[in-house]
Each structure stands twice: as C-alpha cells, then as structure tokens.
Amino acid sequence: MSEDIFGLLHWSDCCIERRHYAYLLIDGALNEGQHRRLQVMGIRFTSLFEGTAEEHLPDVAPWLIELTGLALPQRQRLIQWASVLARKLPCLSWYESSGAIDDFARHLRHFHCVGLSDHQTMLMRWYDTRILPVWMEVLTGPQRALFTRGMQSVACVDADGAVRDLYASPTGQASGAAGVPDMPMLMLDDRQFALLLEARALDTLIHEIGLRAPGRWHRIAQARKLDFVARHRDAALCAGVKDSERQLYYVLLAVFTSGKAAQHPAVMALMQAPPEALPDFIDAIRQLPGEVFLTGEPLWMTEPIEDEAGGMA
C-alpha cells in the first residue's frame, strides 16, 4: 500500500514552497488513546480543547499537528499513520495556513461552540469529516470568511474514504485576534442547525443516491445536492416517513424528475398515508401512474455540472 495515499507529502512540500504552514487535524474522539502514538513518534500536537470546559479530555480532543516543521522521515511516518486512521474512520482533515500553530489553534478554538436561536450554545464537532463538508456548505458568506481567516485551503477524507477539497483561496484573509468576538463566534439559524444535526443522514442519502444514479449525479455541485436532498427529505419527514430506507425511495423519485413528481396528485395522495413497511412503500411507488415518472428530467439534466477542472460544463 502506498505510504501517501492522499498526496499529503506532496501537498505539504508545496505549502513549504509557498512559505505557508501545513496542518493535519485528527478527530481524537474517533481515535481515543491514539495521541499516545504521536507522543511515541515524538510529534508535537496541540489540543483544540485547551482553554475550554473539555480541556481535561485531551485523548478525545481534535489534535492539530504542523507538518511543515517536521523532518522528512517524521513527516512520512506521520502521514502514513494518519492515512491508515482516515481510511477506517472519518477523522482526518488538512489545512494550509499563513498562521503559526499557536495562532492557528487559537483561531480554530473560537468555533468550539456555536450559538443557537433559542439563546443556547452547543459544542460543534465541525472537524468530524461527516460534518465538515456540510459545515462548509451551510455557513453564510461572512461566516465562512470568518472561519477560513488565515487559511489558503481546506480538505478532508470524507466518510466514504474520498478526498474532498472544501475551500481554496490563494491569498487567504490574514488571521489575527483583532476584532474577534467572544465565544460563541458563530450564531446558527434553525435551518443551519437542522442541516448540521442531520449531516450524517443527508450524507448517507446522497451516497445511496449516487449508487443508483449515473456519474453525472456526482458532478452536480455539492451545495445543490445538499439543498435538494434536504428539502425532499424534509417533505418525507413531514409526511411521517422517518426511516432512511423509505426516505431514500421518495428522494430518488424526486431526483429522477427534478422534484416535479412530488407535486403530482398521485404522489401527494400516496404521501398522505404512506405504507409503513418498506416493501409496501416500494410497491406503492412502482404502481404510480407512468406519467409520474415523466413529469421532469433527472436533476443532472437540469442543473449545471462541474467539469473535472472545477468549472461549469
């Protein structure tokens, strides 16, 4: 097996050439006790729980590690070890930043908690890579600019073991403590909170749809897929369809008709009293009038698609 399956060694070399720092962030909650391996390897890490109520739990903290300060053999060994973890669990993300490790860690700690609309606060595990892609999508423009301050790029290995490039800015806004509000730094509205709360469920739905749809589904912008799947899953929930299996078949019907089938009287009648057993629900969809399946084109036929270079086809 390759020692650098995600290209992190080359990436960190490029960061050094650009005179930036390269950081790995490992979610310790999914790798409890593994920080001792870092200590054995002689690799310094910084806990993002420092200065928080969870400071006494370094073994389950997110561990920030600077790659660019390591000798090449140490870097190779760390990358190999972290890559093995990432293939098993959604725990690894990486960041190019102009900020030194203490400043960068201080910046990231500001997002340990978020504010909610009911004046409550919630610990936000944004570094769990089932959540991180959704986190980057649901933040407003100003919120995303605040989070990515001092960053030139953000990427991760997602829950399916695939590399996801989540943010890129060649310059990046300078980091610094000036003008930083007290925690929580971000206030999430109800829609943002719901999407993050359901991040794993939505991610699973998108993945399952991808197994049943042509390759062009995967090239629809992630933000568009997230919004579309979330809206139709919400409709299924409102109809009392609370299990993921029946939700999948309802959302698939929407995906293959760009949402038009959901407005057909036969589908609306079905969702007024959806069968509770999965086989019965699937059978009811199959018995819908043929015109239902012709109400609209598949979503990938009606949406702009990203080409391989990241532009729009």
Side-chain angles (χ1 to χ4, degrees):
M1 182 181 70
S2 169
E3 294 183 355
D4 187 20
I5 56 178
F6 302 121
L8 293 172
L9 188 61
H10 174 71
W11 168 75
S12 62
D13 285 337
C14 291
C15 292
I16 293 171
E17 290 178 7
R18 291 188 287 265
R19 298 186 178 182
H20 291 156
Y21 298 92
Y23 295 105
L24 297 186
L25 186 58
I26 299 174
D27 183 1
L30 299 180
N31 296 282
E32 189 170 353
Q34 288 286 352
H35 65 297
R36 297 184 183 89
R37 285 289 306 276
L38 292 171
Q39 294 168 339
V40 168
M41 288 189 282
I43 293 172
R44 177 196 173 196
F45 65 91
T46 298
S47 166
L48 294 190
F49 279 1
E50 288 181 15
T52 74
E54 289 72 35
E55 187 172 18
H56 64 290
L57 300 171
D59 54 331
V60 296
W63 309 319
L64 184 67
I65 307 162
E66 181 195 336
L67 280 178
T68 40
L70 299 176
L72 181 59
Q74 266 190 318
R75 236 188 321 151
Q76 291 173 322
R77 186 179 179 189
L78 171 62
I79 286 171
Q80 181 179 14
W81 174 75
S83 297
V84 170
L85 294 183
R87 294 192 68 178
K88 296 177 180 178
L89 296 164
C91 64
L92 179 66
S93 53
W94 53 94
Y95 307 77
E96 180 177 351
S97 174
S98 55
I101 189 166
D102 290 339
D103 291 335
F104 191 53
R106 187 180 305 114
H107 171 74
L108 294 178
R109 289 187 189 109
H110 280 96
F111 304 94
H112 182 64
C113 292
V114 295
L116 305 178
S117 61
D118 58 359
H119 305 293
Q120 300 295 311
T121 60
M122 181 182 73
L123 191 149
M124 175 53 62
R125 296 188 67 256
W126 53 266
Y127 40 82
D128 181 326
T129 63
R130 293 168 295 189
I131 297 173
L132 182 57
V134 182
W135 168 259
M136 295 296 291
E137 294 287 357
V138 304
L139 295 180
T140 65
Q143 288 174 333
R144 192 178 300 108
L146 195 60
F147 177 72
T148 58
R149 182 180 294 177
M151 302 181 197
Q152 283 70 45
S153 67
V154 179
C156 73
V157 181
D158 68 13
D160 294 321
V163 172
R164 296 274 293 274
D165 294 315
L166 304 176
Y167 172 79
S169 173
T171 54
Q173 183 182 359
S175 60
V180 172
D182 293 334
M183 292 193 288
M185 182 179 282
L186 294 185
M187 300 295 296
L188 301 181
D189 61 29
D190 291 343
R191 173 69 171 169
Q192 290 173 308
F193 174 65
L195 283 171
L196 286 164
L197 195 64
E198 298 294 338
R200 184 53 184 155
L202 291 171
D203 183 71
T204 299
L205 263 180
I206 290 171
H207 174 72
E208 291 294 330
I209 291 166
L211 296 178
R212 295 163 172 82
R216 286 173 68 86
W217 162 258
H218 301 281
R219 293 169 59 196
I220 298 173
Q222 182 68 14
R224 175 58 177 142
K225 288 191 289 190
L226 178 64
D227 178 72
F228 186 90
V229 171
R231 284 191 289 110
H232 288 88
R233 180 175 178 270
D234 285 348
L237 285 168
C238 288
V241 178
K242 301 187 182 300
D243 56 287
S244 60
E245 292 85 0
R246 288 185 300 161
Q247 288 171 9
L248 171 62
Y249 284 92
Y250 177 76
V251 176
L252 275 170
L253 182 60
V255 165
F256 276 89
T257 60
S258 291
K260 300 291 180 60
Q263 306 303 317
H264 192 280
V267 176
M268 295 174 70
L270 168 63
M271 297 306 286
Q272 287 179 2
E276 294 187 6
L278 178 60
D280 295 339
F281 187 77
I282 296 174
D283 190 53
I285 289 179
R286 287 174 176 166
Q287 292 183 26
L288 289 168
E291 64 193 55
V292 169
F293 304 96
L294 302 175
T295 51
E297 294 182 315
L299 192 64
W300 51 89
M301 300 295 292
T302 60
E303 286 293 315
I305 320 214
E306 296 180 347
D307 62 23
E308 281 71 19
M312 302 309 290

